[in-house]
């Protein structure tokens, strides 16, 4: 009886494959993001939908153009740029002029991804590169927040959304402060229930912590996300802010507020866990998460800005290759050094 | 043959876009087209003059002290440029600040002195300096023009947009210089070698 032909293939690692393809993982990340996206559109209405569509379109078109520019086959099909576009859209304030959204998408994908060689070669998360660029380029527009559940949010658009290209956004009289800004500059705390469900002002996707956690749990259950990264971030943020709140309760917010406010949930679950920018070992991921958590608390507590998740993740992205160099798994069969147990 | 010594600095061996030399002034004072052009022309003058003198003296300078001698020659011409700019426009002198004196340590100038002028005749050295200096000026102008148009909405101080123009603040910051340089490098390398 002749068995199936087995060919011994000699090649470099990895030798064990999970069967997940890039497309499968990206499809599942989109699924996990859907509740957050739908909630963002429900909260902020038509302007949120337009911001998301513009962000997606600008990222997809830039990826296509970058592939043509460098004579490579189109990489639109692997879905990674769709995630970038969606995540990028979710980090933006709802009333941001659409031309600024498009500029950020082009910069993020062209400068943050294509320039480094495309998917897998980019040291930084392209969605955060796009947002960081906009934050530095248009600081006023990027910190003008509109409250959720505005009247007639599906029938009308704020004047700032449709500002013609290269003109400044008209500031509406009804812009509100985010919970973090109110806490930092006004000493007011929002109710935890409002923060968790997303009934507060903020970027599109950073408002509802519970839906983000739901999406994250789905990805963890499918082994498509390293749970150590968000766990590391949450532990350090909760621990450090509990300590600060215990020492100086009047100037530092309690841990629950720190966890559920601002972009921490979205950043910890969907941005920091980007497989390209995070370390490969388990211990490395814990360290990487802890580093992000520590940076977030430091920036929020003593920095000039109310929010620091974006910069914390970008900085940790830069450290990630070094973490991989410090923490190397012992090679199987390697002899322990003398006195090393 | 001689013409090539001139053209290579503009295109094939452009100091900024190909050799990536002299990054400090290229990123620091390219926030407006005027500053960029002034810095480029100042560097052009120093480069041509120092290349000429280094080529003249190349047989008299002992090998062991050549770098110190080159720096002394370069510093002389930088002082000339420094005082000239101060006399012509005090405002421009303030805008460029310490970066005029820092032309002394621009590795592009020392690089040309060491790699070219100290091994070639005066005619070729002047052509080389002029080509490299013009290439540097051109590249700085490319950076400065983009940064001024997007960062201030003007070119050489002339407003290009309507009054409602939203300036891209990042373009006037150092990080904007890096983004602009990356974009130009990408375009230039694609343009220069389409099959690479």
């Amino acid at each position: 009886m002749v068995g199936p032909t087995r060919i011994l293939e000699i090649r470099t690692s990895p030798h064990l494959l999970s069967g997940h393809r890039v497309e499968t993982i990206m499809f599942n990340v989109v699924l996990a993001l859907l509740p957050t996206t739908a909630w963002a559109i429900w909260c902020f209405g038509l302007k949120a939908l337009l911001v998301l569509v513009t962000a997606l379109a600008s990222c997809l078109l830039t990826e296509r153009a970058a592939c043509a520019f460098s004579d490579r086959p189109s990489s639109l099909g692997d879905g990674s740029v769709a995630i970038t576009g969606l995540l990028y859209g979710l980090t933006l304030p709802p009333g941001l002029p659409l031309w600024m959204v498009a500029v950020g998408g082009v910069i993020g994908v062209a400068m943050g991804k294509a320039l480094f060689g495309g998917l897998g070669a980019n040291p930084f998360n392209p969605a955060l590169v796009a947002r960081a660029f906009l934050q530095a380029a248009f600081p006023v527009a990027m910190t003008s927040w509109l409250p959720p559940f505005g009247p007639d949010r599906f029938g009308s658009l704020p004047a700032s959304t449709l500002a013609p290209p290269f003109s400044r956004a008209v500031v509406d009289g009804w812009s509100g402060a985010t919970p973090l800004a109110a806490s930092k500059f006004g000493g007011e705390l929002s109710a935890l229930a409002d923060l968790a469900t997303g009934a507060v002002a903020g970027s599109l996707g950073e408002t509802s912590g519970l839906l983000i956690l739901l999406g994250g749990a789905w990805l963890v259950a499918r082994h498509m996300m390293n749970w150590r990264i968000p766990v590391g971030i949450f532990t350090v943020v909760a621990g450090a802010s509990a300590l600060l709140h215990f020492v100086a309760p009047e100037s530092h917010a309690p841990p629950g507020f720190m966890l559920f406010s601002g972009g921490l949930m979205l950043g910890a679950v969907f941005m920091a866990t980007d497989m390209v920018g995070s370390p490969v070992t388990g211990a490395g991921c814990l360290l990487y998460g802890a580093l992000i958590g520590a940076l977030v608390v430091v920036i929020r507590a003593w920095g000039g800005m109310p929010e620091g998740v974006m910069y914390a993740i970008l900085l940790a992205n830069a450290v990630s290759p070094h973490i991989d160099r410090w923490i190397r798994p012992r090679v199987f069969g390697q002899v322990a050094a003398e006195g090393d147990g | 043959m001689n013409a090539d010594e001139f053209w290579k600095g503009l295109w094939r061996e452009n100091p900024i876009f190909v050799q990536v030399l002299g990054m400090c002034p290229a990123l620091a004072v390219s926030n407006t087209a005027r500053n960029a052009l002034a810095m480029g022309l100042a560097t052009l003058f120093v480069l041509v003059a120092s290349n000429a003198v280094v080529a003249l003296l190349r047989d008299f300078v002992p090998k062991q002290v050549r770098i110190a001698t080159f720096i002394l020659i370069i510093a002389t011409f930088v002082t000339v440029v420094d005082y000239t700019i101060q006399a012509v426009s005090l405002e421009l002198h303030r805008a460029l600040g310490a970066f005029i004196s820092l032309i002394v340590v621009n590795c592009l100038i020392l690089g040309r002195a060491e790699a070219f002028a100290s091994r070639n005749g005066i005619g070729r050295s002047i052509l080389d300096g002029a080509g490299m200096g013009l290439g540097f000026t051109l590249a700085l102008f490319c950076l400065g023009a983009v940064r001024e148009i997007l960062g201030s909405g003007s070119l050489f101080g002339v407003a290009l947009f309507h009054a409602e123009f939203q300036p891209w603040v990042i373009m006037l910051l150092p990080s904007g210089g890096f983004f602009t340089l990356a974009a130009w490098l990408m375009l230039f390398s694609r343009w220069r070698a389409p099959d690479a």
Side-chain angles (χ1 to χ4, degrees), chain A residues 129-149:
Chain A
V129 172
R131 192 187 196 280
F133 183 88
L134 289 186
Q135 180 82 57
F138 313 115
V140 176
M142 285 297 283
T143 46
S144 300
W145 310 100
L146 300 173
F149 307 114

Side-chain angles (χ1 to χ4, degrees), chain A:
Chain A
M1 183 181 158
V2 181
T5 318
R6 285 173 194 270
I7 298 169
L8 178 65
E9 192 186 346
I10 299 172
R11 51 170 210 160
T12 56
S13 62
H15 304 293
L16 291 173
L17 301 174
S18 67
H20 290 159
R21 298 167 50 77
V22 174
E23 293 85 345
T24 339
I25 293 180
M26 294 305 167
F27 178 71
N28 277 278
V29 177
V30 171
L31 276 188
L33 274 172
L34 275 185
T36 309
T37 313
W39 182 249
I41 294 172
W42 173 249
C43 280
F44 294 105
L46 191 57
K47 52 188 178 291
L49 183 67
L50 284 180
V51 165
L52 286 168
V53 168
T54 313
L56 256 176
S58 61
C59 287
L60 290 170
L61 288 175
T62 311
E63 177 95 354
R64 185 72 197 81
C67 288
F69 186 78
S70 53
D71 294 328
R72 278 179 301 173
S74 169
S75 53
L76 282 184
D78 67 20
S80 63
V81 73
I83 305 281
T84 299
L86 195 55
L87 276 175
Y88 161 60
L90 287 173
T91 61
L92 297 175
L96 193 70
L98 295 180
W99 73 268
M100 293 184 189
V101 179
V103 164
V106 171
I107 297 280
V109 174
M111 298 271 159
K113 187 178 176 191
L115 206 56
F116 291 100
L119 180 66
N122 48 313
F124 302 103
N125 187 324
L128 288 179
V129 172
R131 192 187 196 280
F133 183 88
L134 289 186
Q135 180 82 57
F138 313 115
V140 176
M142 285 297 283
T143 46
S144 300
W145 310 100
L146 300 173
F149 307 114
D152 195 24
R153 61 186 185 277
F154 286 104
S156 67
L157 284 172
S160 60
T161 302
L162 294 178
F166 296 102
S167 347
R168 61 184 86 236
V170 185
V171 179
D172 300 77
W174 43 298
S175 47
T178 61
L180 271 172
S183 156
K184 180 154 188 146
F185 304 122
E188 300 166 28
L189 290 180
S190 311
L192 195 56
D194 284 349
L195 289 173
T197 53
V200 289
S203 297
L204 291 178
E206 70 181 24
T207 50
S208 172
L210 289 181
L211 289 175
I212 295 170
L213 283 180
L214 188 73
W218 157 264
L219 286 179
V220 169
R222 308 205 53 154
H223 302 287
M224 288 177 179
M225 190 179 93
N226 197 326
W227 55 268
R228 292 175 187 85
I229 297 172
V231 164
I233 296 174
F234 295 150
T235 314
V236 170
V237 169
S241 55
L243 189 70
L244 284 175
H245 185 63
F246 177 74
V247 175
E250 67 286 346
S251 53
H252 295 293
F257 176 84
M258 290 286 270
L259 282 180
F260 279 96
S261 60
L264 186 78
M265 282 290 164
L266 187 70
V269 174
F270 287 107
M271 303 277 191
T273 53
D274 179 10
M275 291 178 183
V276 181
S278 53
V280 291
T281 57
C285 282
L286 275 177
L287 184 63
Y288 167 81
L291 176 68
I292 296 176
L295 285 169
V296 167
V297 173
V298 167
I299 296 177
R300 281 187 182 179
W302 297 290
M305 299 161 290
E307 175 61 307
V309 172
M310 169 177 73
Y311 294 117
I313 297 177
L314 285 172
L315 285 169
N317 277 162
V319 178
S320 161
H322 302 285
I323 295 179
D324 275 338
R325 205 167 297 159
W326 295 327
I327 300 179
R328 294 189 182 198
R330 183 180 291 176
V331 177
F332 181 72
Q334 185 180 338
V335 180
E338 204 165 326
D340 200 28

